[in-house]
Amino acid sequence: MTIQDTAEGRRAAGLLERTRGAVQPELRAALDSLPGSMRRVAMYHFGWEHADGSPAAAGAGKSVRPALVLAACRALGGDPAHAVRAAAAVELAHNFTLLHDDVIDEDATRRHRPTAWTVFGTADAIVAGDAMFALALRLLAEDRAPCSVAASARLAACVIELCAGQQADCAFEERAPEEVTLEECLGMATAKTGALLGAACALGALYAGAGDEEVRALDAFGREAGLAFQLIDDLIGIWGDPAHTGKPAGADLAARKKSLPVVAALASGTPAGAELAALYHGPMGAAAVARAAEAVERAGGRDWAQLQAADRMSRAVGELARAVPDLDAAGDLLALAEFVTRRTC
């Protein structure tokens, strides 16, 4: 049985569906305001248009981050309807990073479609991503909520941190496999993934009128849940089913990514870890990818990542309890966190 088959999974799926219904009109209106060429790239990236501009019905993503905004607002007694613009802003910021990540990583597919840069070219994909982030800040700046200035500043600071994490990730690629430490890798993952989930929860708290302590606790909850999410995502990047991921099996290994399970394996001091390092120094064809996946597992990287994900979720719940002592009121947040960290390969 998968998490989607549990009560928490069904609750999260319902939340995500309602979030898309509430947030997508705001997103589409924002994208419609872009100049034609950038709008075309953005609408294609979201799955709402084909490359020729005709309507499409491809998936626009799960909407986890906007759902966190609305759920955090609700958990602290706010009206989620007042936070829809903030939720749309977070989703725009997230998709700005996806457009750029696809270019940096030279990924050919996303959500089972060719990536925007492969269709429209690198320059157009980057510029469309830049425009999405500008739209995110504009949505917050034009909002009449008393917290809109604080929300804008927090989202901007988050993206700066996220860019630092991306830069660190790129720098890792230039270093020998055995030179990247687990501490560095955890810091990079927290910045690249945890920061935006933390900001999503913090924005929801701000729109609920929460105090500084509650906002900090919700940010910490999102960061810890985000790191758990990244750990699971890294496992999927090695052992994921292409039918579910839309990417080839072992894609992260083929790209020699120094993901968390890989770095844990490299740092294990085991023969399997040494074997993995040697494989990362050589050509990475299909046979080498399969051997690398086996080496990560034998070196303990898979088990370590799974245990770490559980530990980070435990920490996340502890942070959430600081802001919402009655965790029944935070059921939506917990369901979403459970949903994204109990995905299967």
Side-chain angles (χ1 to χ4, degrees), residues 110-264:
R110 179 172 292 281
R111 299 167 186 155
H112 306 281
R113 304 173 87 202
T115 45
W117 74 272
T118 67
V119 175
F120 299 99
T122 298
D124 281 357
I126 290 172
V127 170
D130 294 341
M132 280 189 200
F133 182 47
L135 278 179
L137 293 180
R138 192 180 79 184
L139 281 181
L140 293 174
E142 291 178 350
D143 200 349
R144 296 180 180 179
C147 66
S148 64
V149 172
S152 299
R154 184 170 284 271
L155 185 59
C158 163
V159 170
I160 291 171
E161 182 180 359
L162 195 155
C163 289
Q166 178 65 64
Q167 188 176 48
D169 193 17
C170 292
F172 288 172
E173 295 183 14
E174 304 301 318
R175 294 163 61 182
E178 56 273 13
E179 291 178 358
V180 177
T181 70
L182 202 47
E183 183 178 1
E184 287 178 307
C185 200
L186 285 166
M188 176 274 293
T190 299
K192 270 195 70 174
T193 304
L196 189 54
L197 269 70
C201 295
L203 261 62
L206 286 170
Y207 272 77
D212 290 345
E213 185 62 29
E214 288 83 3
V215 172
R216 283 194 293 271
L218 262 292
D219 184 270
F221 162 77
R223 283 173 177 270
E224 293 291 355
L227 190 49
F229 172 94
Q230 187 59 57
L231 285 153
I232 299 300
D233 204 57
D234 284 354
L235 289 168
I236 291 172
I238 299 174
W239 291 283
D241 181 353
H244 295 148
T245 66
K247 295 183 179 182
D252 285 0
L253 295 174
R256 295 185 181 82
K257 287 189 177 180
K258 298 175 182 72
S259 62
L260 286 160
V262 166
V263 175

Side-chain angles (χ1 to χ4, degrees), residues 4 18 44 65 67 77 83 96 157 192 196 217-218 226 240 242 257 265 288 300 333 337 343:
Q4 288 85 348
R18 290 194 295 275
Y44 172 85
R65 290 154 190 83
F96 140 72
K192 270 195 70 174
L196 189 54
L218 262 292
K257 287 189 177 180
L333 280 173
R343 296 170 298 155

Side-chain angles (χ1 to χ4, degrees), residues 272-297:
E275 178 186 344
L276 178 63
L279 286 165
Y280 259 47
H281 281 292
M284 195 63 78
V289 166
R291 290 198 301 273
E294 293 172 1
V296 173
E297 185 151 17

